[in-house]
Structure formats: structure tokens, C-alpha cells
Amino acid sequence: MPLLRIGHSPDADDAFMYYAIAHGKVAIGNYQVQHVLEDIESLNRRAMRGELEVTAISAAAYPQVADGYRIMRVGSSIGRHYGPTVVTRVGREEMDLAGARIAIPGEYTTAYLLLRLYLEGFEAVPIAFDEIPAAVQAGDVDAGLLIHEGQITYGELGLSKALDLGEVCGRDTGLPIPLGLDMVRRDLGEELSSLIAQGLKSSILYAFEHEDEALDYAIGFSRGIERETCRRFVRMYVNQDTLDMGEEGQRALETLFAKAREKGIIGQVPPIDLF
């Protein structure tokens, strides 16, 4: 049986999407699927080396991997007026973030790209995403840029919101915010790529139809949050946009890269190759 390696984050939303594939409810042809679970920045770097046949990446990393991968319309993580959040210790919400030392979850993350688009003069301090809240609490950094469930649980950790990049970007562009993409390596060819995309779509539809069953699996990747909080987080990032990012999702990607190019953050952007 041929092997197909699929990279995704060890997070509740990705686990929810891939539950049906991981548990044999949905098959991808006659392929044996190996789930490669790593943080998104590690997956970004693996994609730059072309290591995995299928992988999640940060949308911001697309220009670096476009030669080797295509974007599936299915599987994307898109925020609508919510997204990465900058937090500080309670009482420091009004601090001037310009000049602040801000922990970021990776150089190629969309969160970091958004931060550079909407804030200047800060010092970026790369830290593993799940260690950022503790670094802020300990005062190792002035603020932290949170992704994943930290966007909705920071208050329980004794932290306070200083900047909501999802709100800022949404107001600025009037579009949803493309945060993560699911990619297929170009050398797989059209037939297998389409089979993978259909398999992932079927897996998501199965999870929608068996939400509690899929949530039972997903909560094991939620780093201790309560079940209903996990459900809320999953619904934020696994929704109709995930089934098909559509024309609006494509415009959102194009707008994100155009803004980054205007600010000199990235160079020429390759065509958005969606299938």
C-alpha cells in the first residue's frame, strides 16, 4: 500500500478536520496515510524543503513554497474579524507596542506577517507558540502574539488583549483573513491531488455530521481547555470557508500579499494556484 504523508498542526481544529481520515471513516484511494504532527512553523520549513506530499502551511509562507506546492481550496483556516492576538500582562494593555519586545510564533507565520503590516518599531522574539503565554507572564517579553486556542483563552491565563490583528485586518480590507492553507506537492499530479482534496473534504463533512464524535478526538489536542471552549475554537476555524475558500478567500490571499509587497516585506508574489 503506497504511503501518503500529511502534515498538520497538533491542534484541535486540524485534528477535527482529519478525524475521519485518522480513524478510517474516510479513505484516500488505496493510500496509507501517515499523519505528521508538528507546529506550523516547523511545517512551513519542511514545505520549503518539499519534504511532505501534503501539508498545512501558514498563508504567509506561500511565496516561499509555490514552486513546489499547490493550494487546495479545501482545508484552509480563515478568520472573519478574528485572528492572531497580541497580549500583555494585566494592567499593561495600553502600553506602547512600538519598541516593545514581542514574542512571535515563527518567522514565516501569517500572524507575524500581520503584525508587521499593522505595527512598526517592535522587536520580534521567536518563541514556540505554546510557550508564549508563560514568557509574557514571566516578563521575559513585553507582549506575545498568540495563535491557535490562545486567541480565546488568554484571559484564563491572566493575560490581557492589547491588539486584535483579526479585527484590525478585517476593518482594513473588508475581507476574511487567510491564516493557514493546505497544500499538495506538485509532483503528485492532477489525479492524485484531486483525490486528496476530495478525501479531505469528505473528512470535514463527516466531522460536521458527527461533531461530538470528532470533538472527542479533537479535544485531545486542545492543551487542556474545556470541551465547550474547544467546540467554539473548532467552529471558528473549521467552517464553510474550510470546505471551499471560494473567490472571496482568493481575493483575501491576493490582498494580503499585495499589502505585504507594498510595505517591502515580501518580493514578487507568484500566481495564486488554487485547485
Side-chain angles (χ1 to χ4, degrees):
M1 182 178 292
L3 181 67
L4 192 64
R5 296 169 299 171
I6 299 180
H8 57 87
S9 299
D11 298 296
D13 54 336
D14 279 7
F16 186 85
M17 281 198 298
Y18 281 101
Y19 164 71
I21 293 174
H23 285 259
K25 313 292 184 180
V26 168
I28 299 178
N30 66 339
Y31 283 82
Q32 176 188 349
V33 174
Q34 177 184 338
H35 296 265
V36 180
L37 306 181
E38 294 190 14
D39 69 276
I40 194 64
E41 183 70 347
S42 296
L43 291 175
N44 289 337
R45 295 178 184 276
R46 292 190 74 161
M48 291 173 192
R49 298 189 295 268
E51 291 182 3
L52 301 175
E53 291 82 15
V54 185
T55 187
I57 66 162
S58 299
Y62 175 69
Q64 284 78 27
V65 306
D67 285 348
Y69 288 88
R70 302 177 68 195
I71 306 170
M72 289 190 285
R73 289 183 176 274
V74 64
S76 56
S77 296
I78 292 177
R80 290 184 175 268
H81 298 281
Y82 51 81
T85 302
V86 179
V87 299
T88 64
R89 294 186 296 285
V90 173
R92 303 194 68 197
E93 306 90 309
E94 303 302 321
M95 71 175 292
D96 186 0
L97 292 174
R101 298 180 73 248
I102 302 178
I104 64 165
E107 177 185 357
Y108 297 104
T109 59
T110 312
Y112 181 43
L113 174 57
L114 290 170
L115 189 63
R116 285 181 288 174
L117 286 177
Y118 295 105
L119 184 67
E120 296 181 350
F122 65 94
E123 178 187 350
V125 182
I127 295 178
F129 79 92
D130 53 350
E131 297 176 7
I132 289 177
V136 177
Q137 290 168 329
D140 297 334
V141 289
D142 300 309
L145 178 57
L146 299 186
I147 59 175
H148 301 313
E149 71 274 8
Q151 298 166 40
I152 60 175
T153 61
Y154 59 82
E156 300 168 16
L157 302 174
L159 301 173
S160 186
K161 179 169 67 176
L163 177 65
D164 188 323
L165 290 166
E167 291 179 358
V168 172
C169 184
R171 287 196 304 267
D172 180 35
T173 67
L175 291 166
I177 303 143
L179 298 167
L181 305 171
D182 270 27
M183 315 290 287
V184 172
R185 210 168 60 197
R186 290 185 179 276
D187 63 357
L188 298 188
E190 197 71 30
E191 183 177 351
L192 178 52
S193 296
S194 296
L195 187 67
I196 293 165
Q198 185 56 55
L200 177 53
K201 187 171 186 176
S202 296
S203 183
I204 295 168
L205 287 170
Y206 184 94
F208 285 164
E209 293 166 3
H210 304 83
E211 184 178 80
D212 284 316
E213 180 184 327
L215 197 65
D216 287 342
Y217 175 67
I219 200 166
F221 298 85
S222 65
R223 286 173 280 276
I225 64 176
E226 295 182 353
R227 184 179 180 84
E228 292 310 308
T229 302
C230 182
R231 189 191 304 274
R232 175 187 166 199
F233 172 67
V234 164
R235 287 177 174 177
M236 286 170 64
Y237 288 112
V238 188
N239 47 42
Q240 292 304 309
D241 290 323
T242 316
L243 284 175
D244 187 340
M245 70 163 62
E247 292 182 5
E248 191 177 35
Q250 182 171 347
R251 289 203 313 275
L253 273 175
E254 292 167 347
T255 299
L256 177 69
F257 294 137
K259 293 179 74 65
R261 187 171 61 246
E262 289 168 7
K263 289 205 79 170
I265 296 172
I266 62 175
Q268 195 64 30
V269 180
I272 306 299
D273 185 5
L274 283 167
F275 77 96

